[in-house]
Amino acid sequence: SVLTEDEADALGANLFAERKTGDRARGVARLYFSQPQSITVTTANFVTSKTGLHYFPSDIQTIRTEEMLLNLGSDNLYYFNINVIAEDDGTKYNLANNSLVSIANINSAIKVANLSRFDGGASDESAVEFIARARQELTERPLVTLRGIGAKITRSFPQVRRLNVVGFNDPEMQRDV
């Protein structure tokens, strides 16, 4: 708990372990319009969530009037989907469906929504969390030991929160039947 993040990184390097750095949430925002039109979205056109968090277009995105004519929703509104990325790292930027409320500098947009969740936001791993994980991993990573399985799976699939290893003579091991 007294190590700085740099000191923890240096200690973890001895065990070939890397501290997890934060990441930004990503998603798709849908802009709705009453009439088809040509729109170009830049970083000046950020979207805002109900909680006041900002998401910026991942790059400059454009749709022509002819293309928007093909995007007619069931509510008789035309739409344009844009890829957005959170303003900063952190899990607080992960959003539930329909959490967006506005887009800046596009007055013709009637409404904005996110039809699916925004995911991928992660906070930096603290020195204490990193050292605890590095201690668990150590340098043993074969898939025939409990510690090796835990290290390999959680590194390859960071979204895994719980892991239960089943082996020989375990009641849940179907292969032995």
Side-chain angles (χ1 to χ4, degrees):
S1 64
V2 296
L3 293 176
T4 66
E5 289 180 351
D6 289 336
E7 292 169 336
D9 287 341
L11 181 61
N14 293 329
L15 304 171
F16 304 104
E18 294 180 12
R19 188 172 54 86
K20 295 176 185 174
T21 57
D23 200 5
R24 296 177 183 203
R26 291 171 172 72
V28 177
R30 179 170 281 189
L31 311 177
Y32 291 93
F33 302 90
S34 59
Q35 297 296 321
Q37 54 195 283
S38 295
I39 296 287
T40 298
V41 177
T42 67
T43 54
N45 307 113
F46 59 89
V47 294
T48 306
S49 72
K50 293 176 182 175
T51 57
L53 300 173
H54 299 298
Y55 300 83
F56 292 88
S58 55
D59 54 1
I60 297 173
Q61 299 166 59
T62 302
I63 190 168
R64 296 176 315 176
T65 305
E66 296 81 18
E67 294 170 317
M68 194 181 286
L69 275 168
L70 302 173
N71 296 345
L72 182 61
S74 59
D75 52 1
N76 290 328
L77 293 176
Y78 296 92
Y79 62 88
F80 176 33
N81 292 335
I82 60 171
N83 298 315
V84 295
I85 186 168
E87 178 179 33
D88 202 5
D89 295 344
T91 55
K92 69 179 182 179
Y93 286 93
N94 294 337
L95 282 183
N97 298 1
N98 297 317
S99 297
L100 298 178
V101 291
S102 66
I103 183 159
N105 304 319
I106 298 183
N107 296 333
S108 58
I110 294 175
K111 66 179 182 174
V112 61
N114 58 314
L115 302 181
S116 59
R117 294 181 45 82
F118 283 14
D119 281 327
S123 302
D124 286 345
E125 190 174 33
S126 71
V128 172
E129 293 167 334
F130 172 56
I131 295 301
R133 184 174 57 81
R135 181 180 293 155
Q136 173 67 29
E137 285 186 7
L138 289 178
T139 56
E140 185 178 344
R141 295 195 179 115
L143 288 175
V144 294
T145 65
L146 182 61
R147 285 175 51 171
I149 291 170
K152 203 83 153 161
I153 296 295
T154 56
R155 180 178 289 250
S156 298
F157 303 100
Q159 64 273 21
V160 170
R161 296 290 173 242
R162 284 188 250 158
L163 179 67
N164 185 19
V165 179
V166 177
F168 180 71
N169 280 338
D170 192 298
E172 294 187 24
M173 174 55 88
Q174 297 299 309
R175 186 186 67 198
D176 292 346
V177 176

